Amino acid sequence: MARRNHTTELGCIACDDLSELGAGKEGWLVNNPNLLTALDTHSIALANRSLVLILHWSEGSDPVGNRVKIVPDLSPIEAEYISAIEWLVFDDIKVLALGTSRGYLLIYSLRGDLIHKQIVSPGKILRLRVRDTKRDLTQDASSEEVCVVMSGVIARFDGSDIQNMLQRWFRERHSQFWDETESENSADTFGRLPYQLWNVSKYGSCVDAAITGLMPPPLLELQSSQRYYCAITVGADAVISAYRLSVDRSRSIVGAILSKVVPATFSTITSISKMLWRSDPSPTKRPEPKPQPFARASPLTCFKDHPRKGEKLTLSPSGTLAAITDSLGRILLLDTQALVVVRLWKGYRDASCLFVEMLAKNDVETSRSAYHEHVKSDYCLCLAIHAPRKGIVEIWQMRTGPRLLTIPCAKGSKILQPTYRFASSEMSVSSYVPLELFFLNGDSGLLFVLNRSLS
């Protein structure tokens, strides 16, 4: 019997420029912890500590002819380096976001122009997450967000604010000619992006975190327009921790009084001192951006099991499930609404997980003709578990379904998934694009996609 093939080859990204990232050595893609990857439709970005390489390809094209190098202006004094990377896609606008070890968020165009630079919080940015969440618990309307994860800190940017800034930048870009130097110096022309910032280090520092979505207000609290988000963190001190994030900053009555009295008093004293001791005006110096104060983050629960340590966290599209890997080779499936572990896998050391949507039912596959596209209800949610020590990728049906598929995975390979696309409201239901799973073989440079159908 012929062996069934469950993947489709898309192309090869091998080129000479990859040697600057370590290509040519066996296992270069998976053995270097400083090598970052981000996948999007027909584009992949790879980065080390100081260099970003963007490769574009389409069917039948060669990625060598469509490549861009980005060398960010990092601080050599602080030994700053690239620590996170992710695509931001808004309809016809696609840019690349970088996070640095000093807490800066950088946004670059596909040509390598610096669009925006902003400090989030002092410290290393561990991860950039892009997804959509519901605007209200009682409505189906959703809003997109960009989540910045740091050690013990979570920041949230609204997708609409980033999109508006990018649209203004591209309009300005098309209206006049900017050279490279002017592009670098005008990265903050449109001001700082508003965002919320929370301290989530109550149970210790975290190595990964995510905002899962909106949650109800705490008991015995008056109903108001204030929003609350739920955040899940994983780390060494607590395998899993949960927090309720408040959008508005918590301030006491005394703090509110002092915040108005002290500036007024200081301003009065300063004006009087200038009248008494007149001096030559000093040259104006651009002030350093002040760190944003933290909003209120209330701890909900935590799970400690020494010496187990949480390592990586993966969210489902709706945010209701999270797959968490730990240092003991276990994978925990967490219900983020009930904050309960609903499933456990053992014996998966160094594993990585991604949620994927599959056409698991044969009747669904045959009922759709070639003239009709599949809709969201045709797919079932699955969890892909890459076990590199076993050399396989397993597909498990959620939440308590069986293992649907086991696929051999070559050594030196990594599983990837395209970033979330900020879709317009005009997109029809019939054009739904399911979550897909991609395989990148670092040694050969070949890129594969998992077939949506199991048959």
Side-chain angles (χ1 to χ4, degrees):
M1 180 181 294
R3 187 174 182 179
R4 189 184 301 275
N5 189 10
H6 295 283
T7 60
T8 302
E9 182 179 334
L10 297 179
C12 181
I13 66 167
C15 61
D16 294 337
D17 291 327
L18 287 175
S19 60
E20 300 184 46
L21 302 176
K25 301 179 181 178
E26 184 178 359
W28 68 276
L29 184 65
V30 295
N31 294 334
N32 184 1
N34 296 317
L35 185 62
L36 309 172
T37 55
L39 182 68
D40 186 58
T41 306
H42 303 306
S43 300
I44 187 170
L46 301 99
N48 58 15
R49 295 170 67 93
S50 59
L51 171 69
V52 181
L53 179 62
I54 301 176
L55 300 175
H56 306 284
W57 76 89
S58 58
E59 295 182 3
S61 68
D62 185 4
V64 177
N66 300 295
R67 64 189 187 276
V68 177
K69 288 184 181 179
I70 300 176
V71 182
D73 184 15
L74 305 175
S75 172
I77 299 177
E78 301 291 340
E80 186 179 13
Y81 60 91
I82 303 170
S83 57
I85 183 173
E86 189 58 277
W87 290 101
L88 303 180
V89 185
F90 301 88
D91 293 331
D92 57 340
I93 297 178
K94 182 164 69 172
V95 296
L96 188 66
L98 306 178
T100 74
S101 58
R102 294 182 60 211
Y104 277 90
L105 176 66
L106 312 177
I107 300 179
Y108 283 88
S109 70
L110 295 183
R111 297 177 53 184
D113 300 319
L114 179 60
I115 299 176
H116 186 75
K117 180 178 181 179
Q118 176 174 337
I119 188 169
V120 181
S121 182
K124 178 183 176 181
I125 294 180
L126 301 174
R127 187 163 182 178
L128 300 173
R129 291 182 177 272
V130 181
R131 59 184 303 269
D132 69 327
T133 57
K134 289 186 176 181
R135 295 180 182 176
D136 190 89
L137 292 172
T138 60
Q139 299 178 1
D140 293 332
S142 60
S143 62
E144 294 81 7
E145 68 180 21
V146 176
C147 180
V148 180
V149 179
M150 309 176 74
S151 180
V153 175
I154 294 182
R156 181 187 182 275
F157 291 81
D158 194 280
S160 60
D161 294 329
I162 300 179
Q163 184 177 16
N164 293 335
M165 183 271 295
L166 292 176
Q167 289 174 345
R168 295 197 305 270
W169 187 89
F170 278 100
R171 283 198 300 266
E172 185 74 16
R173 179 74 178 182
H174 294 155
S175 63
Q176 60 180 339
F177 175 79
W178 286 2
D179 60 24
E180 184 177 356
T181 304
E182 290 172 339
S183 176
E184 291 286 336
N185 293 336
S186 60
D188 55 354
T189 302
F190 302 107
R192 289 170 55 86
L193 291 170
Y195 66 100
Q196 292 98 33
L197 190 68
W198 297 276
N199 186 338
V200 289
S201 60
K202 173 69 175 180
Y203 301 116
S205 61
C206 63
V207 296
D208 203 354
I211 298 176
T212 63
L214 291 172
M215 69 179 306
L219 296 175
L220 305 179
E221 183 166 314
L222 296 178
Q223 297 294 329
S224 65
S225 59
Q226 192 174 30
R227 286 185 182 179
Y228 295 92
Y229 294 97
C230 179
I232 303 295
T233 68
V234 299
D237 300 317
V239 181
I240 305 174
S241 303
Y243 296 84
R244 178 186 282 111
L245 308 180
S246 172
V247 172
D248 297 333
R249 184 161 58 97
S250 176
R251 295 173 58 183
S252 63
I253 297 178
V254 176
I257 295 175
L258 291 177
S259 65
K260 294 186 177 296
V261 173
V262 172
T265 305
F266 180 78
S267 178
T268 303
I269 296 175
T270 303
S271 60
I272 295 176
S273 62
K274 287 183 178 180
M275 294 174 61
L276 298 177
W277 296 281
R278 296 182 179 275
S279 60
D280 296 332
S282 57
T284 58
K285 184 180 179 181
R286 187 174 182 179
E288 292 291 332
K290 297 181 180 179
Q292 180 165 314
F294 292 110
R296 184 177 59 183
S298 305
L300 297 176
T301 185
C302 74
F303 169 58
K304 296 185 177 182
D305 185 20
H306 185 77
R308 185 192 304 195
K309 301 177 182 179
E311 293 182 342
K312 288 176 286 188
L313 183 151
T314 303
L315 269 186
S316 66
S318 63
T320 57
L321 291 176
I324 299 168
T325 60
D326 65 22
S327 57
L328 300 182
R330 300 174 183 177
I331 301 174
L332 295 82
L333 186 64
L334 178 71
D335 185 323
T336 60
Q337 294 180 327
L339 298 179
V340 173
V341 175
V342 295
R343 196 166 185 176
L344 177 69
W345 292 267
K346 296 181 180 180
Y348 293 88
R349 287 190 179 273
D350 302 325
S352 56
C353 302
L354 288 174
F355 285 95
V356 62
E357 292 173 315
M358 303 285 295
L359 292 170
K361 298 179 181 179
N362 293 327
D363 55 344
V364 172
E365 299 172 17
T366 56
S367 62
R368 298 282 179 181
S369 65
Y371 302 98
H372 294 83
E373 297 181 357
H374 291 283
V375 295
K376 185 175 182 178
S377 59
D378 293 337
Y379 297 92
C380 68
L381 184 65
C382 301
L383 181 67
I385 302 176
H386 179 207
R389 296 195 179 190
K390 300 179 181 180
I392 59 173
V393 172
E394 298 178 347
I395 307 297
W396 293 80
Q397 188 172 355
M398 297 290 97
R399 295 186 171 191
T400 57
R403 180 174 57 189
L404 302 177
L405 195 61
T406 301
I407 310 169
C409 189
K411 185 179 180 181
S413 297
K414 178 180 288 189
I415 60 173
L416 301 171
Q417 201 163 59
T419 186
Y420 172 83
R421 305 180 72 88
F422 296 90
S424 60
S425 58
E426 291 81 7
M427 178 173 291
S428 61
V429 179
S430 61
S431 60
Y432 177 74
V433 178
L435 282 177
E436 294 184 300
L437 184 69
F438 292 79
F439 303 80
L440 178 59
N441 188 326
D443 297 336
S444 65
L446 294 176
L447 184 67
F448 300 85
V449 63
L450 177 65
N451 298 335
R452 299 177 183 179
S453 174
L454 296 176
S455 60

